């Protein structure tokens, strides 16, 4: 049997090395044709590839061509239209045969006939699913049957190189697409998870998808009557976005297509004839003429269809077939939307409950101006334990503020118990110390698992513009006083935590205040607000009280705002209750 030419194995080795690095099989063309051109008697080499049912390209080499020349790179350029591939060998192996020039496939016959080939060796082999290639070597002579077999083996060896290279390239492309897909979906999830507001979540979905997925995007939610209502729109062109928003809101054709797609688990792709009668496609006017295809994915979460996610594509050759990725994106968006909707509903419930734990309005007290403010520090959906109130009895006004340890339903229950117990006792004229003692007993009788802090101040007007302040505290920060001359001081209020020790007594402290003074009660959420450098607001609180009073009326809301601006860390709730003492009219 004839031996391969001396340079054959070197050429084949170089081809294998190049195949390991190639990014596309077509980049190996020069090396493949160089190998085949050195075969004894070779006067022409022709190669072709079919992807699907049409020809992708045809290449040829002849001694005078200087290298492989590509013919008909597009299927539409082929005379008579696309040419189907020859049948490959069974079991996905290369099929090698000797052909007479007159029996060649019509695809390559004209090319090889021009070269004067007397015999042709054909090798047709699969590169992948629905992807076939062929090589034909035209010979001016064929010395023997053994030479034919050797040539067939050499063609099969090159086919193996090309098959393996294509397999690696396809796997790498698949891996890259999967990485890009996973990165895109991960970024989408992060973007959508950053907000628990439904409208903001939907806007993030639309902005993320354009232009990463398509040129346009709309998000519709189903109204109670089942009609899709647009809630977010995005387009690469600002003027087209306005137009698309109008179409998303008013177009009945689009609404019907959305309704149909929402009932299909995998969604729909609409193009060509599917766009007939609608505002999109080559027959449409204005911006709609640019849109050549739509993909509609239902937004489905927890067994319910919430709406649809629609992408609008400008180019006909845009890859639309990745519906699983779009379905995954729609599923993540639907879950984010449903979560945001549930969050909004629960937040409304929590806010309603929180309002029930605080007074609807402070009473109007002659000779005093009362102000209060409450700020939620924890972004979670748990009710806080801060409370405050004011009670008028005869010629006195009693102020109290407190804090139940922790958050949630149990803390809310003890907050209600503490507030209503103190309110009832103080309304009956119970002194501050005695009121705290009674509340301590009530909490212990309930078997309270949480401790409570509280501060009670009863103000009684005295003749001559003075006020008697009776103060009792239970583990709570003492109140501040901004005196009429602008100085700020702290009043003492010592006592053990409520709900911890049986038989605890709460001794009051009595001080005199005067018209023009302001009494500031607060919870520890105010003092424990921290700046980025770790500084507590407690260190700045007296100065903040002084400056706010100088700028005008000492307002609880203003004091909470100053602390919020200062805060970088610390997420406890904050309650502030201020009584400004004025002279009687």
């Amino acid at each position: 049997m004839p031996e391969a030419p001396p340079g054959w194995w070197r050429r084949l080795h170089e081809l294998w090395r190049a195949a390991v690095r190639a990014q596309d099989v077509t980049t190996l063309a020069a090396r493949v044709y160089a190998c085949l051109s050195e075969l004894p008697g070779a006067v022409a080499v022709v190669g072709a590839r079919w992807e699907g049912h049409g020809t992708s390209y045809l290449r040829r080499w002849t001694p005078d061509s200087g290298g492989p020349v590509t013919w008909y790179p597009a299927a539409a350029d082929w005379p008579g239209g696309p040419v189907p591939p020859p049948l490959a060998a069974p079991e996905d192996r290369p099929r090698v045969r000797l052909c007479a020039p007159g029996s060649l496939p019509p695809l390559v016959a004209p090319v090889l006939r021009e070269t004067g080939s007397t015999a042709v060796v054909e090798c047709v082999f699969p590169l992948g699913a629905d992807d076939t290639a062929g090589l034909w070597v035209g010979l001016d002579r064929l010395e023997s049957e053994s030479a034919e077999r050797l040539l067939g083996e050499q063609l099969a060896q090159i086919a193996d190189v090309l098959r393996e290279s294509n397999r690696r390239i396809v796997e790498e492309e698949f891996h890259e697409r999967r990485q890009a897909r996973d990165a895109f979906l991960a970024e989408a999830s992060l973007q959508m998870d950053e907000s628990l507001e439904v409208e903001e979540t939907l806007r993030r979905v639309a902005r993320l998808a354009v232009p990463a997925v398509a040129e346009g995007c709309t998000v519709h939610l189903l109204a109670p009557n089942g009609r899709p209502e647009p809630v977010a729109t995005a387009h690469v062109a600002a003027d087209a976005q306005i137009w698309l928003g109008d179409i998303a809101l008013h177009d009945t054709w689009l609404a019907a297509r959305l309704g149909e797609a929402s009932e299909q688990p995998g969604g729909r792709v609409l193009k060509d004839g599917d766009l007939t009668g609608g505002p999109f496609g080559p027959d449409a006017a204005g911006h709609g003429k640019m849109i050549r295809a739509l993909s509609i994915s239902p937004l489905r979460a927890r067994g319910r269809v919430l709406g649809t996610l629609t992408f609008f594509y400008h180019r006909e050759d845009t890859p639309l077939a990745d519906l699983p990725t779009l379905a995954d994106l729609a599923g993540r968006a639907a879950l984010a939307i449903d979560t945001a909707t549930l969050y909004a509903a629960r937040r409304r419930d929590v806010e309603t409950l929180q309002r029930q734990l605080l007074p609807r309005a402070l009473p109007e007290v002659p000779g005093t101006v009362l102000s209060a403010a409450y700020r939620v520090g924890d972004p979670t959906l748990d009710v806080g334990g801060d409370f405050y109130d004011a009670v008028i009895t005869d010629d006195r006004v009693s102020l109290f503020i407190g804090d139940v340890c922790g958050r949630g339903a149990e803390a809310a229950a003890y907050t209600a118990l503490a507030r209503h117990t103190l309110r009832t006792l103080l309304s009956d004229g119970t002194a501050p110390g005695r009121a705290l003692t009674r509340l301590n007993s009530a909490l212990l009788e309930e078997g309270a698992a949480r401790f409570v802090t509280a501060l009670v101040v009863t103000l009684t007007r005295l003749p001559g513009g003075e006020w008697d302040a009776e103060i009792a505290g239970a583990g709570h920060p003492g109140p501040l006083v901004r005196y009429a001359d602008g100085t700020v001081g702290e009043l003492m209020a010592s006592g053990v935590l409520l709900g911890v020790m049986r038989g605890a007594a709460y001794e009051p402290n009595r001080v005199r205040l005067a018209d023009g003074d302001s009494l500031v009660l607060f919870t520890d959420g105010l003092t424990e607000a921290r700046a980025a450098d770790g500084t507590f607001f407690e260190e700045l609180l007296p100065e903040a009280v002084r400056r706010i009073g100088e700028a005008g009326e000492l307002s609880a809301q203003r004091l909470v705002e100053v602390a919020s601006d200062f805060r970088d860390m610390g997420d406890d709730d904050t309650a502030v209750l201020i009584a400004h003492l004025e002279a009687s009219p």
Side-chain angles (χ1 to χ4, degrees):
M1 179 175 177
E3 294 184 358
W8 171 256
W9 296 111
R10 177 178 55 81
R11 288 281 195 183
L12 187 63
H13 178 66
E14 291 175 352
L15 184 61
W16 271 111
R17 292 181 62 186
V20 173
R21 300 186 299 271
Q23 299 301 310
D24 190 289
V25 171
T26 58
T27 63
L28 298 174
R31 293 181 180 274
V32 169
Y33 286 81
C35 281
L36 296 177
S37 66
E38 293 183 357
L39 296 175
V43 294
V45 180
V46 175
R49 184 174 182 177
W50 298 264
E51 292 179 284
H53 298 290
T55 312
S56 294
Y57 58 77
L58 176 71
R59 287 196 181 94
R60 77 162 188 172
W61 168 90
T62 57
D64 60 351
S65 65
V69 177
T70 303
W71 287 8
Y72 306 121
D77 297 333
W78 284 88
V83 180
L87 294 176
E91 299 179 0
D92 288 340
R93 295 297 304 162
R95 184 192 65 183
V96 180
R97 65 172 184 164
L98 179 66
C99 304
S103 63
L104 290 172
L107 173 68
V108 297
V111 180
L112 290 170
R113 191 179 301 121
E114 296 173 0
T115 65
S117 302
T118 60
V120 177
V121 179
E122 175 188 78
C123 179
V124 176
F125 53 96
L127 285 174
D130 226 10
D131 190 355
T132 305
L135 290 170
W136 292 264
V137 178
L139 306 169
D140 62 0
R141 67 186 185 280
L142 188 59
E143 297 175 349
S144 64
E145 185 178 339
S146 60
E148 173 194 336
R149 288 197 301 271
L150 175 61
L151 184 57
E153 290 177 3
Q154 290 170 320
L155 282 175
Q157 289 168 349
I158 286 184
D160 286 340
V161 173
L162 296 176
R163 281 161 52 87
E164 179 60 25
S165 179
N166 189 71
R167 182 198 62 77
R168 179 189 58 79
I169 290 168
V170 169
E171 288 183 354
E172 288 181 355
E173 289 177 347
F174 174 78
H175 182 65
E176 289 176 0
R177 287 195 302 271
R178 185 170 62 182
Q179 282 188 317
R181 169 186 177 274
D182 292 345
F184 171 74
L185 292 174
E187 177 64 20
S189 295
L190 287 174
Q191 289 287 333
M192 291 183 287
D193 290 346
E194 283 185 0
S195 175
L196 285 172
E197 298 289 340
V198 175
E199 296 294 330
E200 177 59 24
T201 298
L202 294 170
R203 285 192 292 269
R204 286 174 182 266
V205 172
R207 288 197 299 265
L208 185 71
V210 175
V213 175
E215 284 76 19
C217 174
T218 62
V219 184
H220 287 75
L221 293 184
L222 296 181
N225 62 4
R227 177 179 173 79
E229 295 184 348
V231 287
T233 304
H235 197 279
V236 291
D239 55 343
Q241 179 167 331
I242 297 173
W243 164 83
L244 186 57
D246 187 66
I247 291 292
L249 180 62
H250 299 294
D251 189 76
T252 56
W253 180 92
L254 179 59
R257 303 293 87 74
L258 297 180
E260 295 167 1
S262 67
E263 299 175 358
Q264 301 181 9
R268 291 186 63 187
V269 171
L270 306 177
K271 58 181 179 178
D272 302 328
D274 298 330
L275 302 180
T276 302
F280 313 113
D283 297 331
H287 294 295
K289 192 177 187 68
M290 299 185 298
I291 295 175
R292 300 304 178 88
L294 284 69
S295 65
I296 308 172
S297 301
L299 295 170
R300 185 177 285 105
R302 299 182 176 96
R304 298 184 300 121
V305 175
L306 308 179
T308 55
L309 177 62
T310 306
F311 295 116
F312 301 85
Y313 306 87
H314 283 191
R315 292 163 44 205
E316 291 181 345
D317 61 345
T318 299
L320 306 173
D322 195 13
L323 282 179
T325 297
L326 300 184
D328 195 338
L329 176 62
R332 297 177 188 225
L335 190 60
I337 293 167
D338 195 45
T339 300
T341 302
L342 294 174
Y343 172 85
R346 184 173 177 189
R347 184 174 60 183
R348 288 193 298 270
D349 293 341
V350 169
E351 288 174 349
T352 299
L353 178 57
Q354 192 78 66
R355 284 194 297 269
Q356 296 300 318
L357 299 176
L358 299 173
R360 292 181 179 274
L362 294 173
E364 294 185 4
V365 181
T368 67
V369 176
L370 301 181
S371 68
Y374 187 94
R375 178 190 179 276
V376 177
D378 192 335
T380 62
L381 291 180
D382 282 330
V383 182
D386 290 17
F387 61 92
Y388 62 84
D389 209 340
V391 179
I392 301 176
T393 54
D394 299 330
D395 59 344
R396 298 183 301 171
V397 57
S398 294
L399 313 174
F400 65 87
I401 194 167
D403 186 2
V404 177
C405 173
R407 308 182 65 84
E410 187 178 20
Y414 290 117
T415 299
L417 172 63
R419 178 187 166 221
H420 291 294
T421 299
L422 286 177
R423 182 175 178 83
T424 300
L425 292 171
L426 294 171
S427 296
D428 289 341
T430 306
R434 180 59 180 163
L436 291 178
T437 301
R438 295 277 299 275
L439 175 57
N440 183 59
S441 298
L443 290 170
L444 290 170
E445 288 172 6
E446 288 292 327
R450 297 170 182 265
F451 64 81
V452 180
T453 72
L455 176 70
V456 182
V457 180
T458 295
L459 297 170
T460 305
R461 175 179 287 280
L462 301 174
E466 288 190 317
W467 295 77
D468 175 71
E470 186 176 357
I471 307 167
H476 200 88
L480 296 183
V481 178
R482 185 185 187 281
Y483 296 103
D485 62 4
T487 59
V488 177
E490 180 180 0
L491 303 181
M492 298 301 297
S494 60
V496 299
L497 299 169
L498 297 164
V500 175
M501 184 183 300
R502 292 188 179 278
Y506 298 90
E507 298 297 329
N509 175 35
R510 305 187 80 102
V511 298
R512 291 292 177 91
L513 300 176
D515 290 341
D517 295 344
S518 295
L519 188 64
V520 181
L521 287 67
F522 52 89
T523 58
D524 58 7
L526 185 74
T527 55
E528 292 178 0
R530 278 187 293 172
D533 62 1
T535 303
F536 285 93
F537 190 69
E538 181 177 18
E539 301 175 26
L540 285 72
L541 179 58
E543 178 61 17
V545 168
R546 186 189 66 77
R547 285 190 291 103
I548 294 172
E550 281 185 350
E553 182 179 309
L554 183 56
S555 159
Q557 183 62 41
R558 179 60 185 142
L559 183 57
V560 169
E561 289 173 356
V562 170
S564 297
D565 293 340
F566 171 85
R567 183 191 309 270
D568 188 74
M569 294 178 285
D571 58 2
D572 199 5
D573 291 356
T574 299
V576 174
L577 176 62
I578 296 178
H580 177 66
L581 308 179
E582 294 183 329
S584 299

